[in-house]
Amino acid sequence: MPLVVCVDVEPDERAVDPSSPSWSGFELLLERVGELRDRIAAIAEGPTVISWFVRADPQIAEVHGDPGWAFEHYADELERLRAAGDEIGIHAHAWRREDDGDWIVDHADAAWVEHCFATALEAYRQAFGEPPASARGGDRFTNEHAIELLDRSGVTADVTVEPRTGPALGVAPGERVTGTLPDYADAPEVVYRPAVGDFLRPAEGDGRRLTMIPLTAGGPEALYPWMDRYVFSARLNERLAEGAGTHLAFAVRSDVTLVDVHWERTLDNLAIVPHVAGVLCYRRSRTMTAAELAGPRR
């Protein structure tokens, strides 16, 4: 049972204060990542690898002067992660700064969303000399234009879709937003290649070369590792009892380390996943990067 562990590498704040941006959550996570690997490796096959999705969009450019700031600022740290077998992908949010200085999440403007992904793609190319193998949209948002761009640009895996989650204005109360988040209520829960023109429908024949890797859901929503341990465990057991499926995938923000209870829950919850999956599926789990699960580009 392939297990994909995703980390969104981003500033601690959502509406970042340009005068004092902080990435302390990611920096602390780098210090503690060995603990996370050890918890999972204790009951899973092979080395524990993680997929890191690094913010490199217009908000980062607005705050730091360069969308690829994190790739340069944390170059040594990211190289050590790659040397450990981890994957570095891109993470793009649709934050736009208004004339009054406030931030707005602009999902209604398709051209802006595409620009945000294009910015992240180019920043990655500038940093590593090649396109990223995997991507995640911020706030569980993507659309057909973004998927087309990623596919055309050589990305092999997208890990944005959160099955069982309905449409919403945004993910955090009180924020200025436009548009709505996609309706993933009936989205596929297995690895699939999307049909051209509808990224939420598996292709019946020729589809996109990019592969969609939905996050694992349980109950009415995706399963987040920082959830209450009993809720997470019960929903995961129920989900796996419905059928083994193709994979398990979970995502956390890099600032999960800043709230002690969230960090402890994340450690405990991810540690039980290989065990539960092994018991219910009668086979051992092992972590894979998103690109490894997607396989070679077709």
Side-chain angles (χ1 to χ4, degrees), residues 114 142-158 191-213 294-298:
E114 186 172 351
T142 191
N143 59 22
E144 191 59 37
H145 297 289
I147 294 299
E148 160 64 23
L149 173 64
L150 294 176
D151 186 47
R152 188 173 67 247
S153 301
V155 175
T156 61
D158 181 273
V191 173
Y192 68 99
R193 286 191 303 118
V196 175
D198 185 357
F199 71 95
L200 292 177
R201 180 171 61 86
E204 297 179 359
D206 292 336
R208 298 204 180 281
R209 291 171 293 179
L210 173 143
T211 295
M212 306 298 289
I213 302 176
R297 183 169 173 81
R298 297 170 179 83

Side-chain angles (χ1 to χ4, degrees), residues 87-137:
E87 171 185 25
I88 308 300
I90 57 169
H91 187 47
H93 276 258
W95 289 100
R96 185 205 294 269
R97 199 166 186 215
E98 298 286 80
D99 292 340
D100 60 8
D102 287 345
W103 292 103
I104 185 170
V105 185
D106 195 359
H107 289 147
D109 187 336
W112 173 254
V113 172
E114 186 172 351
H115 170 67
C116 292
F117 279 91
T119 299
L121 286 165
E122 181 57 28
Y124 188 98
R125 289 192 191 96
Q126 290 291 329
F128 299 106
E130 59 184 1
S134 59
R136 267 178 50 77

Side-chain angles (χ1 to χ4, degrees), residues 231-242:
V231 173
F232 182 91
S233 179
R235 289 183 178 179
L236 177 61
N237 275 280
E238 290 172 2
R239 169 67 185 88
L240 289 173
E242 295 170 5

Side-chain angles (χ1 to χ4, degrees), residues 199-261:
F199 71 95
L200 292 177
R201 180 171 61 86
E204 297 179 359
D206 292 336
R208 298 204 180 281
R209 291 171 293 179
L210 173 143
T211 295
M212 306 298 289
I213 302 176
L215 294 184
T216 297
E221 60 187 347
L223 292 176
Y224 307 111
W226 62 88
M227 296 173 70
D228 176 86
R229 301 168 192 175
Y230 298 103
V231 173
F232 182 91
S233 179
R235 289 183 178 179
L236 177 61
N237 275 280
E238 290 172 2
R239 169 67 185 88
L240 289 173
E242 295 170 5
T246 55
H247 72 294
L248 295 168
F250 305 97
V252 298
R253 278 177 54 98
S254 55
D255 64 359
V256 70
T257 53
L258 298 182
V259 179
D260 289 343
V261 66

Side-chain angles (χ1 to χ4, degrees), residues 77-93:
E77 291 84 352
L78 294 177
E79 186 54 41
R80 284 195 290 271
L81 294 175
R82 284 161 64 102
D86 290 355
E87 171 185 25
I88 308 300
I90 57 169
H91 187 47
H93 276 258

